[in-house]
Amino acid sequence: MLKNNVAKLMASDGGERQNGCETYRETKRRRMVRRVGALAVSASMLAGLAGCGKMPTADELVGNTSGAAVSECPVPSAKNEDFTGTIRIAWQAIPNADLIVKDKGLLEACLPNATIQWSQFNSGGDVIQAFGSNSLDIGLAGSSPAVRAASAPLNLPVKVVWIHDIIGDAESLVARGGDYKSIKDLAGKNIAVPFGSTSHFSLLSALHNAGMNETSVNLINLDPDKMSAAWTRGEIDAAWVWDPVLSTLKADGGTIVTSSAATAETGSATYDMELATDAFIKSNPEVMETWTAVENYAVGLISSKEADSAESISTILGNSVADVKKQFKGYTYPQAKDQSDIFHGQLPGIFKDTAEFLKTQGSLDKVSDDYSNVLYTDAIDQVAKQ
């Protein structure tokens, strides 16, 4: 494991920062007005919805949704009224279809008798730890954390069940000031990145491709929500991160040095994926099919109803719709038919290549002979046929 070369940065994000067309303070003020309004009518909502048999979610009560929650399952063939259990889901602040599912209550509509618990995490490394402590049933993590989870010494009982997105320019290395033409120009500088994330993997790959290693720079393990404050105070010189933080740092004088799209071209492709525990999959194959069908439907909305999709995502991320539309361009969002081909085709090899690289970095102990056994394809294959 890499060691942090500087003291951990603990300060919170203060002051104003640019976030698209609104400052951070303006965004918070706008969301606070919405929350106050939502709380003011919460009593009447509770009374009215209780009479209809539907109680509002916590997000609905405080105004953390776009108000576009659906009442009926948009994929009728996937609706499952038999499941009455609880699903513990990890989500991250990444502009993909998972946030549309959350904002519109799609999963709740298609699993009307289930209890859906959404918990936010800052990085894939945190999600893998939660899986390790048996605190999750399903959750989003990047491809490199997923490979670590499936390899020694962790060997967690989880499977990859979905690809949320193929990461391109959406994750990039942004530098503060200076005239940085390549990552070599950042030698000896402080670079922040969430350890164990896809950005961490891409950063290590970029250093390797440049003939450098983790000791060539000062790596700082920092969650995205702490980066803006560290950037403003001059405690970091660069960061490899994703949106919306990436856009914030760019607006605050940052320049892009390289990106995950560039490292993908050299053989280090990265993905945002969904993992589920073996136990949950085995006990609930029908639920997995419903979940997959709902995510597949939401992916289709990004292309068919871009503005509406961006509105759902911006509500959760707290940035502008215009910003989210720009962020869409940094990802590729495959649907089930394409994913079935990827899962049965190149993905096991990509996982093995990723594992071999991570082993050289000391991030795992052993590379498995075959990673196809950590991919769950039943639900994707079934949805792909529809």
Side-chain angles (χ1 to χ4, degrees):
M1 297 293 293
L2 295 174
K3 293 183 178 179
N4 198 338
N5 292 323
V6 298
K8 186 176 181 180
L9 304 175
M10 297 297 293
S12 61
D13 189 356
E16 290 192 350
R17 63 179 180 181
Q18 292 297 321
N19 197 340
C21 298
E22 297 179 302
T23 65
Y24 178 64
R25 193 168 287 163
E26 288 168 344
T27 300
K28 290 190 71 177
R29 181 165 54 247
R30 174 174 58 85
R31 298 186 72 183
M32 182 59 70
V33 169
R34 183 169 57 207
R35 291 182 182 186
V36 170
L39 288 171
V41 300
S42 62
S44 59
M45 282 179 62
L46 285 168
L49 290 173
C52 299
K54 179 183 183 299
M55 296 295 288
T57 65
D59 280 337
E60 288 170 342
L61 285 175
V62 300
N64 278 347
T65 72
S66 65
V70 301
S71 58
E72 296 293 333
C73 178
V75 191
S77 62
K79 188 172 183 178
N80 183 337
E81 296 180 290
D82 296 330
F83 181 74
T84 59
T86 298
I87 309 177
R88 302 167 299 171
I89 304 175
W91 67 279
Q92 293 188 51
I94 298 172
N96 58 35
D98 202 36
L99 298 192
I100 300 173
V101 172
K102 183 178 185 300
D103 176 65
K104 292 184 177 296
L106 301 182
L107 198 58
E108 288 82 354
C110 294
L111 292 167
N113 297 316
T115 299
I116 312 296
Q117 296 178 348
W118 294 88
S119 299
Q120 184 177 6
F121 288 77
N122 285 322
S123 71
D126 294 339
V127 173
I128 297 306
Q129 288 184 15
F131 273 121
S133 63
N134 195 30
S135 301
L136 293 173
D137 299 306
I138 187 168
L140 189 155
S143 48
S144 52
V147 170
R148 288 182 58 243
S151 306
L154 295 181
N155 290 323
L156 296 181
V158 295
K159 297 284 190 295
V160 176
V161 302
W162 185 251
I163 296 173
H164 285 290
D165 53 71
I166 303 170
I167 302 170
D169 291 328
E171 290 189 10
S172 296
L173 177 62
V174 57
R176 182 174 57 87
D179 185 24
Y180 303 111
K181 301 298 184 182
S182 73
I183 196 169
K184 289 183 177 181
D185 297 327
L186 288 168
K189 300 296 184 180
N190 296 334
I191 303 180
V193 67
F195 281 14
S197 66
T198 49
S199 286
H200 188 196
F201 172 74
S202 295
L203 173 56
L204 294 177
S205 299
L207 289 170
H208 176 78
N209 293 336
M212 305 166 72
N213 58 43
E214 67 271 18
T215 65
S216 302
V217 297
N218 298 317
L219 292 182
I220 301 172
N221 183 15
L222 201 61
D223 285 336
D225 61 354
K226 301 293 194 302
M227 288 183 181
S228 183
W231 178 280
T232 300
R233 293 192 300 265
E235 295 171 340
I236 59 175
D237 301 296
W240 201 308
V241 69
W242 52 88
D243 277 313
V245 176
L246 177 61
S247 293
T248 299
L249 301 186
K250 286 167 60 180
D252 195 15
T255 56
I256 298 298
V257 179
T258 187
S259 72
S260 295
T263 54
E265 291 178 357
T266 62
S268 300
T270 51
Y271 307 79
D272 286 314
M273 303 177 136
E274 196 79 6
L275 281 66
T277 66
D278 290 349
F280 188 83
I281 293 171
K282 183 178 180 180
S283 299
N284 305 287
E286 296 85 3
V287 174
M288 290 306 306
E289 188 172 327
T290 296
W291 182 92
T292 303
V294 167
E295 289 285 344
N296 190 55
Y297 169 81
V299 170
L301 292 179
I302 293 178
S303 57
S304 66
K305 296 183 177 180
E306 183 186 47
D308 183 62
S309 298
E311 169 67 19
S312 284
I313 293 173
S314 71
T315 299
I316 295 177
L317 295 183
N319 57 357
S320 71
V321 172
D323 276 348
V324 175
K325 287 182 177 180
K326 292 177 183 177
Q327 291 162 11
F328 283 160
K329 298 177 182 179
Y331 298 93
T332 300
Y333 304 102
Q335 291 199 265
K337 290 182 179 179
D338 293 326
Q339 295 208 29
S340 182
D341 292 339
I342 294 171
F343 270 68
H344 291 289
Q346 68 262 40
L347 194 56
I350 290 173
F351 266 36
K352 188 170 185 178
D353 290 343
T354 300
E356 288 174 347
F357 178 80
L358 290 174
K359 187 174 185 297
T360 67
Q361 303 299 311
S363 297
L364 52 84
D365 293 346
K366 183 180 179 181
V367 176
S368 300
D369 293 331
D370 182 13
Y371 281 89
S372 61
N373 62 346
V374 303
L375 308 178
Y376 177 73
T377 62
D378 291 4
I380 288 177
D381 292 343
Q382 187 61 36
V383 173
K385 297 175 184 177
Q386 299 173 1

